[in-house]
């Protein structure tokens, strides 16, 4: 008796989640140390100590009625939003104010809020394969139509000619995710410039507004000094979706924000609607204690060196086994080519070696698998002999 | 350029919220002590000290990677769900297990999750006027049709004959809210029995499933020893939506749960779908630290005596001024008859006396106003002379 739409959703329910749940079961049977669970982007770096200190301090210092109460507006505490705006301005030479920031229940909450705000039924939302599979559900929640740009499997950079060709009068938004889940690729400033130029030209051609939604939970996870451009500086109709899930290792706490710059077309109307959407979708406001906690930890950083060590060891190890992959420059994912076209079958074979991978078809890119290396270094090191045995089945 | 649907939502944006924001502005001008803001259900009783202790203990004791990480399933920590189930079983003689409980981002999150799970477009959802205005938005989010049962303004108990007449083959759910926002009325066991009988008979007549959704953030706020029946004991297809916003004074923290009993038709399918809906709507999971905190505070209670004192003083005071109202038995709201048919005009007049009330039309019941008495006792006492001056304009 559940909704028809939900029946399909349940049937196609997240392969990532299914794998994660299976990993937990396997860990119980074989012992956690003998299962190489690369399925979920659940950070293995603890939240900085400053988060613990901040939470304890806030709890002792603040009036619980205010601290745990509803915020004055559904967009969050103004002082928190001011702190976020100032931090962005310092780092990216922007000029946001608190009013441009809306605190959200993580990036997933933020994406739902902005899509609810913008989409009319049948509006098109463009995504670049491979992409985070949840985008499909989020767009479907508001009866939008997902338009996929096929993957350039040589570089996993966006295919700009196909992008340009697929923009129509119905294109309402484009979602980009850089550093990228699942490839770890970072879009260069040149790529961002070209995306912006194409969008500006198409807006003019069709007389429409096309919003560039930058989903950037991995912004701070960039290696080898690679620069991650801040997209609002390139294209006016940019909306940033951020999460502290990875940068402060707080995925379970559901805390992030949206940036709606003044340069966005009818930004005041968008901001009012976002405030309402946050409420009526049932988020109401981002969790209040965590809002205050992230504001106190605004300059904290996660342990990038930890992920970088994993990245290098895993990448080198897999290459040595004979696997093919693009070296990731950001996030904590590595996208590896499956030795056989049917990568789901490959994932099944990997399970024999207690290796849990996510099939690329979850990211609309079959023939590849995602390896989330936000695990312990020991897991990486101990998995490599198993990856070698797995490779020997194919090479 | 925002969505058409959102344009209306913004236009008709919550009068409660608007009033609350106006109250904050007035407080800045006249001083908080001179503004009698009865607009929002923001508890004035602090969270129990046990919450503070629990949060600090959890933060010191637990591994931050697990504590702040994604939960094993989107439905929440199993040990937390077990604790909730056991507490319900102790209190209401039910036999739930952890699997029947899904932790949610407050009751607003829970309602959205269950409506997303159940509603096909144009499915009908019945509500009893006056009702919490957000139900309209929540049902609209999933393209459902809200069907209102008119108010019995003598008692504010549900009009059962009209209810029976308005159930159709398209009725998918009925939302009840007892103790009620905005009237403070509690549905008696007899009323619940009659609602259940009607639903059972109609399910049989139409060969459909009709879900009774019990939205009960105010469950523990009942006065004079009045009993609040636990609805799963009366009707199999009952789904409970709960929030700790009022019972532990944590509205900003967004923590609550759904109960999906085994007796619900196809309960396993519903549970799977709820788990998926929690994820794809962008909640992902209820905030993890707060999940653990409420589990440790499972037997804590708010200061009912505080609200009760407010209730009695306000009720007696308003009656003495000549106002008409039904004495509330639960929640922290009093629903007062406006001396003039146009209650919005009455609310405007009340503002002259720095009294902020919410028009009944926000609850689909014009001619009345809601007074949220979850304020300080001083606010109640000091407001009464102003209510008297207000009354003198009419009586």
């Amino acid at each position: 008796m559940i909704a028809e739409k939900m029946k399909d959703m349940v049937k196609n329910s997240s392969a990532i989640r299914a794998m994660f749940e299976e990993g937990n079961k396997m860990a119980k049977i074989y012992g956690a140390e003998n299962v190489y669970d690369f399925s979920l982007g659940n950070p293995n770096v603890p939240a900085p100590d400053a988060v613990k200190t901040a939470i304890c301090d806030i709890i002792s210092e603040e009036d619980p009625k205010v601290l745990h109460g509803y915020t004055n507006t559904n967009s969050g505490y103004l002082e928190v939003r001011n702190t976020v705006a100032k931090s962005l301005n310092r780092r990216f030479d922007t000029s946001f104010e608190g009013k441009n920031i809306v605190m959200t229940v993580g990036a997933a909450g933020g994406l739902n809020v902005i899509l609810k705000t913008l989409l009319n039924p049948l509006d098109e939302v463009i995504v670049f394969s491979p992409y985070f599979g949840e985008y499909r559900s989020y767009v479907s929640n508001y009866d939008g139509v997902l338009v996929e740009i096929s993957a350039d499997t040589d570089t996993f950079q966006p295919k700009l000619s196909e992008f340009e060709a697929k923009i129509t009068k119905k294109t309402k938004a484009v979602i980009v995710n850089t550093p990228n889940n699942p490839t770890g690729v970072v879009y260069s400033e040149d790529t961002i410039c070209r995306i912006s130029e194409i969008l500006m030209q198409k807006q003019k051609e069709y007389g429409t507004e096309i919003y560039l939604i930058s989903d950037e939970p991995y912004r701070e996870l960039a290696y080898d000094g690679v620069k991650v451009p801040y997209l609002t500086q390139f294209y006016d109709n940019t909306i940033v979706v951020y999460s502290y899930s990875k940068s402060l290792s707080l995925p379970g706490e559901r805390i992030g924000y949206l940036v709606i710059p003044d340069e966005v077309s009818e930004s005041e109307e968008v901001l009012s609607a976002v405030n309402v959407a946050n409420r009526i979708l049932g988020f109401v406001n981002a969790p209040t204690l965590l809002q205050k906690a992230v504001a106190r930890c605004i300059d904290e950083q996660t342990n990038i060196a930890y992920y970088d060590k994993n990245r290098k060891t895993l990448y080198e190890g897999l290459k040595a086994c004979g696997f093919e992959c693009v070296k990731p420059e950001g996030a904590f994912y590595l996208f590896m080519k499956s030795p056989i076209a049917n990568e789901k079958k490959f994932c099944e074979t990997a399970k024999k070696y207690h290796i849990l991978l996510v099939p690329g078809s979850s990211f609309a890119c079959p023939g590849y698998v995602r390896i989330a290396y936000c695990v312990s270094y020991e897991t990486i090191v101990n998995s490599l002999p198993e990856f070698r045995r797995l490779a020997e089945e194919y090479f």
Side-chain angles (χ1 to χ4, degrees), chain A:
Chain A
M1 292 313 276
I2 63 170
E4 289 304 317
K5 214 172 166 178
M6 283 306 296
K7 284 185 188 165
D8 295 332
M9 291 287 185
V10 173
K11 208 160 50 188
N12 306 319
S13 181
S14 171
I16 303 176
R17 274 282 168 179
M19 197 65 87
F20 177 62
E21 293 181 19
E22 192 163 344
N24 286 319
K25 279 182 205 152
M26 283 175 73
K28 274 190 196 153
I29 301 171
Y30 304 110
E33 70 284 7
N34 300 314
V35 176
Y36 312 106
D37 185 352
F38 297 105
S39 63
L40 195 68
N42 210 0
N44 199 55
V45 169
D49 283 343
V51 171
K52 185 193 276 196
T53 309
I55 291 175
C56 284
D57 288 353
I58 292 164
I59 283 279
S60 351
E61 291 164 18
E62 303 215 9
D63 175 358
K65 286 184 296 196
V66 180
L67 173 60
H68 304 301
Y70 291 122
T71 53
N72 280 2
T73 83
N74 297 103
S75 298
Y77 290 118
L78 188 57
E79 68 271 22
V80 171
R81 298 159 69 198
N82 283 333
T83 302
V84 170
K86 280 180 197 155
S87 159
L88 293 174
N89 295 345
R90 274 197 306 273
R91 292 160 61 204
F92 306 114
D93 199 23
T94 49
S95 50
F96 303 130
E97 296 173 41
K99 73 173 167 62
N100 300 114
I101 311 296
V102 177
M103 302 307 293
T104 60
V105 173
L111 281 163
N112 273 278
V113 164
I114 192 63
L115 292 171
K116 170 84 177 170
T117 298
L118 296 177
L119 294 190
N120 287 309
L122 303 182
D123 275 352
E124 293 171 2
V125 178
I126 295 180
V127 292
F128 298 94
S129 301
Y131 59 86
F132 182 42
E134 295 291 83
Y135 294 158
R136 178 168 293 280
S137 307
Y138 301 162
V139 169
S140 158
N141 284 340
Y142 311 102
D143 299 313
V145 176
L146 203 76
V147 175
E148 288 178 7
I149 309 302
S150 64
D152 171 351
T153 52
D154 291 331
T155 64
F156 291 110
Q157 291 285 339
K159 269 191 190 166
L160 296 177
S161 53
E162 186 178 332
F163 172 55
E164 190 168 4
K166 283 191 171 166
I167 299 173
T168 74
K169 234 181 139 56
K170 293 291 285 174
T171 305
K172 190 64 172 278
V174 178
I175 305 178
V176 292
N177 171 218
T178 163
N180 185 262
N181 172 11
T183 65
V185 159
V186 175
Y187 293 2
S188 67
E189 189 166 312
D190 181 56
T191 301
I192 299 299
C193 283
R194 288 169 64 201
I195 289 176
S196 304
E197 280 160 17
I198 291 168
L199 288 174
M200 283 187 267
Q201 192 263 318
K202 288 289 177 181
Q203 284 194 143
K204 213 165 151 188
E205 180 181 334
Y206 293 126
T208 54
E209 306 286 346
I210 307 174
Y211 295 90
L212 180 61
I213 299 175
S214 179
D215 177 28
E216 42 188 69
Y218 305 102
R219 159 158 296 282
E220 288 81 12
L221 297 180
Y223 311 106
D224 301 334
V226 68
K227 204 184 154 198
V228 183
Y230 205 78
L231 272 59
T232 63
Q233 294 170 325
F234 296 83
Y235 179 68
D236 282 353
N237 273 334
T238 298
I239 288 164
V240 176
V241 185
Y242 187 81
S243 165
Y244 290 97
S245 293
K246 321 297 176 178
S247 60
L248 293 181
S249 293
L250 298 172
E253 302 297 353
R254 316 308 305 134
I255 183 79
Y257 60 79
L258 288 168
V259 187
I260 321 276
D262 285 344
E263 290 73 18
V264 162
S265 164
E266 297 172 44
S267 69
E268 281 192 29
E269 200 183 356
V270 175
L271 276 162
S272 302
V274 159
N275 188 59
V276 171
N278 214 0
R279 198 189 79 227
I280 66 177
L281 286 175
F283 299 110
V284 182
N285 53 245
T288 43
L289 171 59
L290 266 291
Q291 283 191 46
K292 299 231 175 196
V294 297
R296 290 203 189 193
C297 298
I298 201 80
D299 291 321
E300 288 296 321
Q301 286 175 351
T302 192
N303 187 350
I304 309 265
Y306 182 101
Y307 295 124
D308 196 15
K309 191 175 164 196
N310 282 359
R311 175 181 73 116
K312 285 176 179 152
T313 306
L314 180 64
Y315 176 73
E316 298 302 336
L318 293 174
K319 294 286 276 188
C321 294
F323 291 111
E324 267 182 57
C325 43
V326 171
K327 190 172 183 180
E329 294 183 293
F332 40 48
Y333 304 110
L334 188 148
F335 208 51
M336 185 172 86
K337 189 168 183 182
S338 164
I340 50 174
N342 183 344
E343 93 283 3
K344 287 184 181 170
K345 213 172 145 191
F346 174 64
C347 289
E348 281 307 310
T349 305
K351 277 191 212 164
K352 282 202 307 192
Y353 302 97
H354 301 175
I355 297 174
L356 297 178
L357 310 169
V358 181
S361 19
S362 295
F363 307 93
C365 192
Y368 288 78
V369 296
R370 187 188 78 170
I371 308 178
Y373 57 81
C374 49
V375 296
S376 75
Y377 186 64
E378 290 62 44
T379 299
I380 303 276
V381 170
N382 296 336
S383 72
L384 288 176
E386 300 304 316
F387 270 114
R388 179 161 295 277
R389 291 173 63 202
L390 174 62
E392 282 162 5
E393 293 212 15
Y394 300 96
F395 306 126

